[in-house]
Amino acid sequence: MSGVLDSIRETEAVEPEPDPTTTTVLDAALRQFELFGLGHSTVEDIAKRAQLARVTIYRRFPTKDRLIEAVILRDLGRFLNDLDALVEPLEDPEERIIEGFLFTLDAARSHVLLQRLLESEPETLLPHLTTDGAPFIASAREFLAARLAGEQAGNRTAQELATQAEIVVRLILSFLLTPDAPIDLDDPAQARSFARRYVGPILRGGDPPPAKG
């Protein structure tokens, strides 16, 4: 098991702590995007909000798309940290899956920027989460695969764990981007049932549910 976990961890990109100026830029960009959207925000707008010169921003983010990507990935990192804090105390792996799934849905519904963009300019947001969404998907996949490796992963390889994690990441992303579905995931009871019946078996790779008690 330690070999699987080490193999997955080697694939995780370790991001250095941002310097104070980069943090200022990302904070200003996030607020600008929340208020005015992606399409109606320029690097000059963000520079004014951050009280920095445009050249300072361009040194860190050569294009607006790179800046948008950085904002999305930072928010993803914060979400994953919060998710870890929620599920880590839970001893039952099955409950970790269920509570993690519900937490993800709730976090997406309450995310100011995500909801604003899905409602007002989905055509601007969607490429960053679909055709150009490889960094986003990879970060979520590597996070989930590493957690799976720490659970009862049996004889599954790092590749198998990564594949299972990617399926679930893409499944959740699909529900977030296209919420109309036969099952009402806004209903906690239905969402729990869905996670237990469908998401759990994917992450367990066909293994039976862990014994309780």
Side-chain angles (χ1 to χ4, degrees):
M1 174 55 61
S2 61
V4 172
L5 183 56
D6 291 342
S7 177
I8 289 178
R9 281 174 173 164
E10 287 174 3
T11 69
E12 294 189 20
V14 178
E15 295 291 337
E17 286 294 323
D19 62 89
T21 300
T22 298
T23 298
T24 297
V25 171
L26 293 176
D27 288 344
L30 175 60
R31 187 56 178 156
Q32 181 70 28
F33 296 152
E34 287 176 343
L35 292 174
F36 300 100
L38 302 181
H40 297 288
S41 297
T42 66
V43 173
E44 183 173 3
D45 293 330
I46 295 166
K48 289 179 180 178
R49 184 173 294 277
Q51 298 183 333
L52 295 169
R54 280 184 300 171
V55 67
T56 301
I57 296 180
Y58 281 123
R59 286 196 190 105
R60 290 163 171 79
F61 306 102
T63 66
K64 179 181 168 184
D65 280 347
R66 290 283 296 276
L67 178 54
I68 293 171
E69 180 182 296
V71 170
I72 292 174
L73 288 176
R74 186 181 68 159
D75 262 21
L76 174 62
R78 289 173 170 175
F79 158 74
L80 294 178
N81 285 336
D82 291 342
L83 177 59
D84 242 356
L86 172 74
V87 302
E88 195 278 333
L90 302 176
E91 296 184 0
D92 184 356
E94 188 81 358
E95 289 305 309
R96 290 184 182 182
I97 292 172
I98 294 170
E99 294 305 320
F101 181 74
L102 267 66
F103 178 81
T104 300
L105 296 178
D106 290 340
R109 293 189 194 102
S110 62
H111 193 280
V112 176
L113 178 57
L114 177 62
Q115 294 304 319
R116 184 194 195 287
L117 296 177
L118 286 175
E119 181 177 347
S120 63
E121 49 178 307
E123 72 286 350
T124 305
L125 171 67
L126 290 181
H128 295 282
L129 299 179
T130 54
T131 55
D132 298 328
F136 175 89
I137 292 173
S139 293
R141 178 190 66 232
E142 289 161 9
F143 169 90
L144 182 54
R147 274 58 187 178
L148 288 175
E151 301 286 353
Q152 299 176 1
N155 295 320
R156 280 171 276 167
T157 66
Q159 180 62 43
E160 289 172 324
L161 294 174
T163 299
Q164 290 164 229
E166 175 132 356
I167 291 171
V168 170
V169 169
R170 290 179 181 270
L171 175 67
I172 292 175
L173 187 58
S174 177
F175 276 118
L176 294 179
L177 297 180
T178 312
D180 290 339
I183 183 169
D184 182 10
L185 294 179
D186 288 330
D187 181 332
Q190 291 192 50
R192 284 177 184 277
S193 176
F194 177 87
R196 187 180 301 277
R197 182 169 183 178
Y198 298 106
V199 180
I202 294 173
L203 293 179
R204 291 193 304 270
D207 292 343
K212 295 185 178 181

